[in-house]
Amino acid sequence: MKSENTKKLHIVIFASHTGTNMQAIIDACRRGDLNGEVCAVISNNSNSPALEKARIAGVPEYHLSNKTFPEEDELDEAICKVLTESGADIVALAGYMKKLGPKVLKQYRGRILNIHPSLLPKYGGEGMYGNHVHKVVIDAGEKTTGVTIHLVEEEYDTGKIIRQCEIEVLGGDTIDILSKRVLERENAFYVETLKLISEGVIKL
Ligand code: GRF
């Protein structure tokens, strides 16, 4: 149910791969669980299932990468243009495998979220994505891992932490088992966090 006190979020999602978080956010908006609209999906990977899912969902999708814009500043500019023309007031990175350019960061600083599959600041930074994260968590013998939603800054995984949840690492966990459990939690957690932002409970 949409509360009268919620603010409709105009969300642009960046996704490079599978797009389960993206799909969860699109679905929650359409069900009315989240007062928002996914205005566009941007990917640097033209073959990503995320772009295909966006197409199927009828969400405007854009392949913007070094292939379509070989100059970094032109790519940055093109991304800014899509964000502005889509009416984005919040940007949600969901498995986006590229750093954002200075223009996008300047224009949307404080309104760009990312989701990361560990309890940052642990197990973040360059090269720490997907199963690489779950492998080091298991190898380190951690009993608890989790999900972090944070603001995006110039460097990977360094921005202010907005919200975290813990997930138990079980004795028999393999990388695949743990990654599946964390991803399922991520999908719900991203939606819940956006909902709290739309309700003004979390202020960006
Ligand atoms: C998630 O594990 C997210 O934490 C990380 O990339 C993965 C994206 O998964 N940043 P999906 O494409 O949303 O399924």
Side-chain angles (χ1 to χ4, degrees):
M1 283 287 283
K2 281 177 200 162
S3 140
E4 283 179 9
N5 297 324
T6 64
K7 174 178 176 287
K8 181 168 181 178
L9 300 178
H10 299 91
I11 308 161
V12 171
I13 299 179
F14 285 59
S16 303
H17 292 296
T18 322
T20 63
N21 283 294
M22 177 205 75
Q23 188 75 59
I25 296 167
I26 293 172
D27 292 346
C29 292
R30 294 199 170 158
R31 279 196 311 268
D33 289 347
L34 168 62
N35 186 10
E37 182 189 344
V38 178
C39 306
V41 169
I42 295 175
S43 183
N44 61 323
N45 175 3
S46 62
N47 294 318
S48 65
L51 274 189
E52 177 65 11
K53 284 178 176 149
R55 214 170 291 139
I56 290 168
V59 174
E61 29 88 24
Y62 301 85
H63 167 224
L64 300 174
S65 72
N66 297 112
K67 289 207 173 108
T68 56
F69 292 93
E71 298 295 330
E72 286 293 336
D73 58 335
E74 285 176 14
L75 176 60
D76 194 13
E77 191 71 57
I79 291 175
C80 272
K81 191 162 179 278
V82 169
L83 290 174
T84 306
E85 289 177 356
S86 307
D89 45 41
I90 190 158
V91 173
L93 307 191
Y96 184 63
M97 301 301 290
K98 203 171 177 321
K99 277 189 180 169
L100 295 175
K103 286 188 183 134
V104 174
L105 283 169
K106 184 163 181 247
Q107 195 169 331
Y108 287 89
R109 195 180 297 279
R111 293 184 289 152
I112 310 174
L113 300 174
N114 182 43
I115 188 159
H116 185 82
S118 77
L119 291 173
L120 290 176
K122 275 187 157 181
Y123 311 118
E126 187 148 19
M128 289 301 257
Y129 60 90
N131 284 348
H132 298 290
V133 177
H134 305 303
K135 180 178 187 315
V136 287
V137 165
I138 290 173
D139 288 351
E142 296 282 2
K143 297 280 174 272
T144 307
T145 184
V147 176
T148 302
I149 291 181
H150 64 93
L151 292 177
V152 172
E153 294 290 347
E154 277 76 2
E155 296 308 319
Y156 287 114
D157 305 325
T158 54
K160 180 182 165 196
I161 292 172
I162 300 295
R163 201 164 168 243
Q164 290 184 305
C165 68
E166 293 189 351
I167 297 168
E168 199 180 349
V169 181
L170 303 173
D173 274 350
T174 60
I175 294 171
D176 282 351
I177 293 170
L178 184 60
S179 71
K180 190 162 177 284
R181 184 167 347 107
V182 172
L183 189 59
E184 265 175 31
R185 187 72 193 96
E186 281 185 47
N187 294 171
F189 197 64
Y190 220 160
V191 169
E192 287 164 21
T193 304
L194 288 165
K195 191 162 186 281
L196 291 171
I197 292 168
S198 80
E199 291 167 348
V201 177
I202 293 177
K203 295 191 194 331
L204 294 182

